[in-house]
Amino acid sequence: MKILITGGNGSMGSRLAAPLVRRGDEVTLLDRVAEPRVRTPEFERCRVAIADIADGERLSEIVAAGEFDSIFHLAALMSSDAEEHPDAAWQVNMVGTRNVLEAARKHAAGRVIFTSTVATYGRMSEDPVPVDAPQWPESLYGATKVAGERLGVYYHHRFGVDFRGLRLVATVAPFGSTGGASGYCSQVYLDAVRKGACEFYLKPETRAPIIYIEDAVSALIALHDAPASALTRRVYTLSGIAPSAEEMAASILRELPEVKFTYRPDPTLNAIVDSWPDRYDDSASRADWGWNPRFDLDAITRAVIEGITAAR
């Protein structure tokens, strides 16, 4: 298959490209920068298209020339960056998403896979959160992702675009995103390996839902590959594990027993994280296309530490 990944040189995009290339897909990475966040041997077998996702004319030209079967639309400005740069967030997350859907419609790209977020729900009292719970996000990032979901479903019903969305919890990775309230879940590993010490801005008992990036990548590919007849909805949710800060510290200490941990809770950030439900109903993902995460907390810890250590 011919596949385009927007945000293709980012943390998720560069990791998604590798298994697609290995299985024989022709992958083009669209990004504003030429170098990938994570360089893999498979990167050398990808095409790279330099473009701004908000430039609809340029994107349309790339999609027309590439004759793509599928588009993984990962390009987005994340939570903290979106709050600091709302105009840029609007251009990337809103205009960019509309441009992708319009290019897919005009040039008959067979499928669009869209990464959304559980932040679209906002504060919820139900645990687990039902997949069809009302979405009242409290961040600009969450609001743009709700809009992206709704626009994609519109393009499906109005124009027949095979739109498929996936709401992710916080994704942990070596050198993963460290911005926003959820950024600590990757930062803690980086500090543990490189500094031998980590200070949580959370209370020891505060929990947050996370998944390892390889599980997220596997889920995106599984949703992409699922036959249309198996799908019961257009947008799915993933859950994961929800370790507390002290459980994450204990897991790291099993691998790196000399690391020192301290806790200095930030009232604002701890309140945000503490408001998140621990679980989200992902039963439809499991039933329709076989979602089944492989990484528990200790497996995540080993994989992330190994990834950071190998890059030294």
Side-chain angles (χ1 to χ4, degrees):
M1 297 184 72
K2 294 182 178 181
I3 293 176
L4 176 68
I5 303 175
T6 73
N9 285 343
S11 178
M12 181 79 74
S14 51
R15 289 178 168 95
L16 172 63
L20 294 175
V21 169
R22 286 196 297 269
R23 75 181 195 177
D25 293 323
E26 297 179 23
V27 177
T28 297
L29 307 174
L30 184 144
D31 211 301
R32 291 182 297 175
V33 298
E35 285 299 309
R37 180 75 174 272
V38 179
R39 181 174 284 275
T40 66
E42 291 80 10
F43 175 76
E44 306 301 330
R45 296 161 58 188
C46 295
R47 297 183 179 90
V48 176
I50 305 301
D52 185 338
I53 197 74
D55 184 343
E57 184 175 346
R58 171 67 174 145
L59 178 64
S60 184
E61 291 172 354
I62 291 169
V63 174
E67 299 181 332
F68 297 109
D69 300 297
S70 300
I71 301 173
F72 284 87
H73 179 36
L74 312 186
L77 216 63
M78 305 295 281
S79 56
S80 59
D81 289 337
E83 297 300 326
E84 289 184 29
H85 308 286
D87 291 340
W90 184 269
Q91 288 298 311
V92 174
N93 297 6
M94 297 291 292
V95 175
T97 296
R98 193 262 182 181
N99 288 344
V100 168
L101 291 166
E102 186 63 10
R105 178 192 70 82
K106 287 175 62 177
H107 305 298
R111 194 163 296 169
V112 175
I113 309 299
F114 175 70
T115 48
S116 187
T117 170
V118 295
T120 58
Y121 291 113
R123 294 176 185 265
M124 296 293 299
S125 58
E126 296 179 86
D127 192 352
V129 175
V131 66
D132 285 322
Q135 292 170 287
W136 295 104
E138 298 184 357
S139 66
L140 178 58
Y141 172 62
T144 60
K145 287 298 185 178
V146 173
E149 290 182 15
R150 301 283 74 79
L151 190 61
V153 173
Y154 166 77
Y155 266 76
H156 171 70
H157 290 306
R158 179 68 176 83
F159 302 114
V161 174
D162 187 358
F163 174 84
R164 305 177 182 196
L166 190 60
R167 298 179 191 125
L168 300 170
V169 297
T171 303
V172 184
F175 309 103
S177 173
T178 57
S182 63
Y184 80 92
C185 63
S186 289
Q187 185 68 52
V188 61
Y189 291 104
L190 194 60
D191 288 348
V193 174
R194 293 194 163 177
K195 299 179 181 179
C198 179
E199 181 172 86
F200 281 96
Y201 59 70
L202 305 175
K203 296 178 181 178
E205 66 273 17
T206 300
R207 297 181 177 274
I210 63 173
I211 58 172
Y212 185 51
I213 196 160
E214 285 191 19
D215 277 333
V217 165
S218 296
L220 286 168
I221 294 173
L223 177 58
H224 171 274
D225 292 351
S229 59
L231 303 183
T232 59
R233 55 188 306 111
R234 285 292 115 193
V235 183
Y236 290 84
T237 299
L238 296 189
S239 196
I241 60 174
S244 66
E246 62 184 350
E247 287 170 349
M248 291 186 72
S251 180
I252 292 171
L253 287 170
R254 286 192 280 274
E255 299 295 319
L256 302 172
E258 302 302 318
V259 176
K260 304 300 181 185
F261 289 94
T262 54
Y263 301 87
R264 187 163 64 178
D266 179 290
T268 300
L269 293 175
N270 189 87
I272 291 172
V273 176
D274 203 35
S275 73
W276 297 339
D278 292 347
R279 296 177 299 155
Y280 296 82
D281 179 12
D282 59 5
S283 58
S285 302
R286 293 175 183 271
D288 291 1
W289 43 271
W291 159 243
N292 185 26
R294 296 189 299 113
F295 288 81
D296 61 14
L297 178 57
D298 285 342
I300 291 173
T301 295
R302 288 191 295 271
V304 176
I305 290 175
E306 287 173 6
I308 296 171
T309 303
R312 280 179 161 177

